Amino acid sequence: MRAHRTMQHRPMERSPNVKKNIIRVAALLLALFTVASVSAAPRNPMSVHVLDQQTGLPAEGVQVMLAKAEGDRWAVISNGTTDVDGRVAALYPPGKALDPGRYQVTFLTGAWYTQHGGTTFYPEVQVIVDVDGKLPHYHIPLLLSAYGYSTYRGS
């Protein structure tokens, strides 16, 4: 017969590497939780995207104004500048619920062309849209060239 050895139970000692890994996993979980919280935040109800048709690239630095119809005039309620991807992701005033109505999005294309050493036939592009409020988000893309442009209802 074999002799039976009694094992002593000792608390597990953690090496410095195990402690570092536990800290790394905790930091990763915290980062994932933070990203999930930010992703769950409500999306701004209006955005724009400008692409330069001549270069095929996003048009960074285009100033954009958002105005709402108030009777027979336009009241500017927000503005922004396109980012490196040619987008203004949050054009509607932050923290405000979308108010259905008629909106005017003005792209200051002349200033953008001047900054890039060019000229354009369209110094401003104004896109007027009727927002019915049935959707949570309205996206207005602009495909831009010096002598023409096109736009559509994006998603």
Side-chain angles (χ1 to χ4, degrees), residues 4-78:
H4 184 340
R5 288 178 27 187
T6 308
M7 297 186 80
Q8 294 180 346
H9 292 288
R10 287 186 270 159
M12 189 171 119
E13 293 181 25
R14 294 188 178 132
S15 71
N17 287 339
V18 171
K19 289 179 182 176
K20 286 181 184 176
N21 286 338
I22 290 171
I23 292 170
R24 287 182 184 142
V25 169
L28 179 62
L29 289 172
L30 179 61
L32 288 172
F33 177 74
T34 302
V35 168
S37 297
V38 170
S39 298
R43 186 172 164 189
N44 187 282
M46 294 188 92
S47 61
V48 299
H49 189 195
V50 183
L51 293 170
D52 180 354
Q53 187 174 15
Q54 179 152 347
T55 64
L57 299 172
E60 179 182 7
V62 177
Q63 295 176 25
V64 183
M65 293 185 305
L66 178 64
K68 187 169 189 317
E70 291 185 356
D72 61 350
R73 67 178 197 88
W74 294 103
V76 175
I77 60 170
S78 183

